[in-house]
Amino acid sequence: MNITKFGHCCLLLEERGVRILTDPGTMSTGEHEVRDLDAIVITHEHADHFHIDSVKVIRTNNPSAVIITNAAVGALLAKENIPFTQVGDGESTEVKGVAISGHGKEHATIYEQMGACENTSFMIDGKLFFPGDAFHNPKMPVDILALPTAGPWMKIAEAIEYAKALKPRIAFPVHDAIYQPAFAGFVAHMAEMFLEPTGIAFTPLAAGETQEF
């Protein structure tokens, strides 16, 4: 699987010729230039994951791409007359032979009811787990983990423990636009220090970078 990061949680996943974009939001750049998409996967409605104006531009550039998301985001898309395929917790679909399944229902707690919404984590092709804003355990093998590393709903210790619980072969950082680039090296060092002894490789992935996993 080739993965290109456009920043924060916006990724281009290329698997067996299928091109999938995740969470185009206000903290990512470059997604407007992407062409030949087959699908757009959106975990939840917060602006750093779902920016309606960006979605409209991406759809204009990729008119055959299907949007895959949960009921809450789907309701917002419906108001704009934008079609979507609903995949929530326990549901699944396929895009040209690539399976996409939904796991979990709730955004991680920020404080009391602040930011509470439906969050769907997605397993893509039985390989990549993309949790959105949650530390959901899909209770199935995870080969590649898009690991949230910063945000008002988490601390780095929780991210490390989450990765250790899922035991992926490899993890890379997402949800990281909140910190300065100089801090990225510190986070990567911490993740490597505590994950690699358990057999989990941690691979930093900067905005604008593509790697093969």
Side-chain angles (χ1 to χ4, degrees), residues 30-88:
E31 62 266 35
H32 292 176
E33 283 69 54
V34 180
R35 300 295 190 276
D36 301 319
L37 288 176
D38 297 293
I40 305 162
V41 172
I42 301 171
T43 60
H44 65 288
E45 64 194 62
H46 290 170
D48 56 327
H49 297 258
F50 169 61
H51 182 229
I52 189 64
D53 290 340
S54 290
V55 169
K56 290 178 180 178
V57 171
I58 294 165
R59 286 191 71 243
T60 297
N61 294 336
N62 300 272
S64 63
V66 61
I67 298 177
I68 297 169
T69 191
N70 57 36
V73 175
L76 299 175
L77 292 169
K79 290 180 180 180
E80 301 286 338
N81 295 315
I82 297 175
F84 67 97
T85 296
Q86 181 173 313
V87 175

Side-chain angles (χ1 to χ4, degrees), residues 79-109:
K79 290 180 180 180
E80 301 286 338
N81 295 315
I82 297 175
F84 67 97
T85 296
Q86 181 173 313
V87 175
D89 181 45
E91 299 175 331
S92 62
T93 189
E94 279 194 3
V95 178
K96 296 183 177 179
V98 171
I100 300 175
S101 57
H103 304 265
K105 299 178 180 180
E106 297 179 357
H107 189 287
T109 300

Side-chain angles (χ1 to χ4, degrees), residues 71-160:
V73 175
L76 299 175
L77 292 169
K79 290 180 180 180
E80 301 286 338
N81 295 315
I82 297 175
F84 67 97
T85 296
Q86 181 173 313
V87 175
D89 181 45
E91 299 175 331
S92 62
T93 189
E94 279 194 3
V95 178
K96 296 183 177 179
V98 171
I100 300 175
S101 57
H103 304 265
K105 299 178 180 180
E106 297 179 357
H107 189 287
T109 300
I110 299 174
Y111 185 74
E112 295 183 346
Q113 291 302 304
M114 173 179 277
C117 67
E118 183 179 15
N119 179 94
T120 304
S121 305
F122 290 99
M123 178 69 80
I124 297 174
D125 205 34
K127 181 180 296 185
L128 170 73
F129 195 60
F130 184 69
D133 283 10
F135 289 133
H136 183 78
N137 189 334
K139 303 295 178 64
M140 63 175 61
V142 174
D143 184 48
I144 307 167
L145 174 63
L147 178 64
T149 56
W153 52 273
M154 60 157 290
K155 56 186 180 181
I156 192 62
E158 294 172 317
I160 292 169

Side-chain angles (χ1 to χ4, degrees), residues 2 21 39 55 81 97 104 121 132 136 164 168 172 178 183 197:
N2 285 332
L21 189 75
V55 169
N81 295 315
S121 305
H136 183 78
K164 290 169 69 175
F172 66 92
I178 195 171
F183 191 63

Side-chain angles (χ1 to χ4, degrees), residues 149 173 176 179-191 202 204-206:
T149 56
D176 52 2
Y179 53 66
Q180 296 296 317
F183 191 63
F186 174 70
V187 171
H189 174 70
M190 287 187 63
F202 184 82
L205 186 63

